[in-house]
Amino acid sequence: MGIASRMSLRAWLRAPGSLSARLARHGRFEVQLLRQATAKLRAPERQQLGRPRRGCTLVREVVLHVNGEPLVWARSSLHKSTLAGPWQALKGLGRRPLAELLYQDRRVQRSTLQPKRLMAQGPTRRHMQQQWRQATGEAAPAGMLWARHSVFKRKGALLRILELFHPRVAELAPYPGTRRPTLKTLACAPAGRLHHPQWGPARAPR
């Protein structure tokens, strides 16, 4: 399988609302929980979460499946102190999608989505490859490079999410009633930059 380009995944990289809900439109949706534990933050996470210097950090990593096929690897990170406050429901989430916490509370805001091409030999992708093989029994495809990340805010507490797409996702339509992305559908979700966040409600998908 070849490398999925940014253009072929563009609609998914920019689609607003719940990724889980959009994937669920294509079949049986399941969350495979790989890890939820304290871990060291990576440099982009420290920057986007306000560079927490003390205390523990919670990391949650999952694979999202549709009809039994693994399609997305996702990593969420937040300062563990927020588990006693705004994000405390995360502790008992288990295999339920994180979207249940993000899109059912009007107080949650989301920064603009930022597409990102991971370095093939970078630490995040190497970590994903190891987990992907353990979780699926197969190597992650070489073309699994394009991701997106954003930060959710509730009562001032920040939660960062990175979603890395399998190239097969490009074959699916992220918007109802469309087989392929169009200029009209892409215009629904303008791109932004996390270092100049434009906060808005974390809305459910259209």
Side-chain angles (χ1 to χ4, degrees), residues 87-135:
W87 298 112
Q88 60 181 323
L90 185 65
K91 291 186 290 186
L93 193 61
R95 295 180 59 189
R96 289 179 291 141
L98 189 55
E100 291 188 11
L101 303 182
L102 304 179
Y103 300 100
Q104 296 180 6
D105 188 338
R106 294 182 180 275
R107 293 169 294 182
V108 175
Q109 293 179 300
R110 186 184 197 177
S111 69
T112 48
L113 287 161
Q114 181 64 53
K116 178 181 178 65
R117 189 182 191 274
L118 299 185
M119 295 183 295
Q121 300 302 320
T124 298
R125 194 169 186 282
R126 291 201 308 270
H127 176 66
M128 178 278 296
Q129 286 177 305
Q130 181 180 11
Q131 284 196 333
W132 190 271
R133 182 179 290 277
Q134 292 174 348

Side-chain angles (χ1 to χ4, degrees), residues 11-123:
W12 283 99
L13 293 171
R14 301 178 67 178
S18 167
L19 175 62
S20 298
R22 293 188 186 280
L23 290 172
R25 291 194 179 105
H26 295 277
R28 186 181 74 258
F29 177 78
E30 295 175 298
V31 176
Q32 182 180 6
L33 179 60
L34 307 180
R35 179 173 69 142
Q36 183 164 315
T38 55
K40 184 178 179 180
L41 284 179
R42 304 193 187 282
E45 294 171 326
R46 288 198 304 271
Q47 180 180 3
Q48 293 157 23
L49 293 175
R51 300 182 180 274
R53 297 180 181 276
R54 296 182 180 180
C56 297
T57 300
L58 183 77
V59 169
R60 172 183 166 90
E61 292 158 331
V62 302
V63 171
L64 307 181
H65 297 251
V66 176
N67 294 328
E69 182 177 10
L71 292 179
V72 176
W73 178 84
R75 174 182 168 102
S76 308
S77 52
L78 70 162
H79 198 268
K80 196 174 181 181
S81 62
T82 63
L83 290 176
W87 298 112
Q88 60 181 323
L90 185 65
K91 291 186 290 186
L93 193 61
R95 295 180 59 189
R96 289 179 291 141
L98 189 55
E100 291 188 11
L101 303 182
L102 304 179
Y103 300 100
Q104 296 180 6
D105 188 338
R106 294 182 180 275
R107 293 169 294 182
V108 175
Q109 293 179 300
R110 186 184 197 177
S111 69
T112 48
L113 287 161
Q114 181 64 53
K116 178 181 178 65
R117 189 182 191 274
L118 299 185
M119 295 183 295
Q121 300 302 320

Side-chain angles (χ1 to χ4, degrees), residues 1-5 141-144 167:
M1 180 176 294
I3 297 177
S5 69
M144 196 169 174

